[in-house]
Amino acid sequence: MTAIEYRKVCKQFTGSRAYALQSVSASIEEGEFITILGSSGCGKTTLLKMTNRLYEPDSGEILLFGEHIGDKDPVELRRGVGYVIQQVGLFPHLTVEENIGMMPGLLKWDRERIAVRVTELLTLVGLEPERFRGRYPSQLSGGQQQRIGLALALALDPKVMLLDEPFGAIDAITRLNLQNELLRIHGGLGKTFLFVTHDINEAFKLGNRVMIMNEGRLLQFDTPKNIVQRPADPFVETLIRSAREQETFWEAVT
Ligand SMILES: Nc1ncnc2c1ncn2[C@@H]1O[C@H](COP(=O)(O)OP(=O)(O)O)[C@@H](O)[C@H]1O
Ligand SMILES: [Mg+2]
């Protein structure tokens, strides 16, 4: 089943000459882990924010499981689409349990059901429920906060998860741990993940397919192997060459 389909999606922000997105078309199957790779300003966040209608396209269409998202109530739509960003935005005066239970609470789940769900989610994201449920965000490390952000986004069991550079502000070692955890979580859930990053290693490690973007265009959308073996564009070639140069450095010093 096709989870997300972009059909010639275009966006130009008012006052800007360049297109933020220029006729982006792509089709994503249910259960895929897609990474979106590109330099700052190339349109990654814009594409993600259109997928849960934080932005509207100027033209083109976006379908979620075969349905036009433009026809859906945005609030309803966002309940089915988890969203994780770099600045998690946990409520500082609420505990971990209260933060994760926020959306279920608004939907009038009873207290017992919320408690059970919080236990489930904390376990899923690798935090011991009894140690962490009563903590406040200030009592968590950056990596732990990102895990809570992930738990929060998963609370209502959305079919699609949008992750916008969620590990961008995390140190290298914690980041590797979180990447592995995310792969494990994705593997166990069967959900569709869309993960934005500007780090080529992260993109190629996590994505079963990678979307490579530049200046609002989708240049190539393929498996990491196919992209490396058959770069479809000079920009992609340069990107891969630069990654290889780093690799050569590591080989030279070890
Ligand atoms: N709300 C906005 N208003 C005006 N311009 C915007 C807005 N959001 C993004 N842009 C512009 O659109 C382009 C793409 O931005 P963005 O999608 O945030 O890039 P990325 O996430 O890849 O860094 C950039 O030129 C950016 O300045
Ligand atoms: Mg961005």
Side-chain angles (χ1 to χ4, degrees), residues 8-14 18-21 50 55-61:
K8 298 188 177 167
V9 174
C10 294
K11 179 76 179 178
Q12 187 175 23
F13 288 101
T14 11
Y19 277 93
L21 290 177
M50 289 203 170
Y55 291 158
E56 301 287 343
D58 296 337
S59 62
E61 290 161 345

Side-chain angles (χ1 to χ4, degrees), residues 93-159:
H93 56 292
L94 298 182
T95 63
V96 162
E97 172 139 29
E98 288 163 342
N99 268 288
I100 298 176
M102 176 74 79
M103 280 309 291
L106 286 174
L107 294 179
K108 307 269 182 268
W109 291 24
D110 65 52
R111 228 195 283 171
E112 172 106 4
R113 186 175 170 207
I114 294 177
V116 169
R117 184 69 179 139
V118 169
T119 303
E120 227 169 60
L121 288 163
L122 285 175
T123 309
L124 179 70
V125 300
L127 296 174
E128 267 176 78
E130 293 325 312
R131 268 184 67 203
F132 286 95
R133 68 194 316 142
R135 289 205 194 174
Y136 289 91
S138 62
Q139 300 169 312
L140 302 169
S141 70
Q144 289 164 346
Q145 289 192 25
Q146 281 312 115
R147 287 176 196 260
I148 301 298
L150 196 60
L152 203 142
L154 286 164
L156 298 180
D157 203 23
K159 283 185 159 177

Side-chain angles (χ1 to χ4, degrees), residues 2-4 51 62-69 72 77 81 160:
T2 302
I4 308 170
T51 314
I62 302 173
L63 286 81
L64 211 63
F65 296 98
E67 294 177 28
H68 290 265
I69 64 168
K72 290 176 182 264
L77 170 73
V81 181
V160 170

Side-chain angles (χ1 to χ4, degrees), residues 41 44-46 164-165 196:
K44 305 181 296 297
T45 295
T46 303
D164 196 345
E165 310 209 29
V196 163

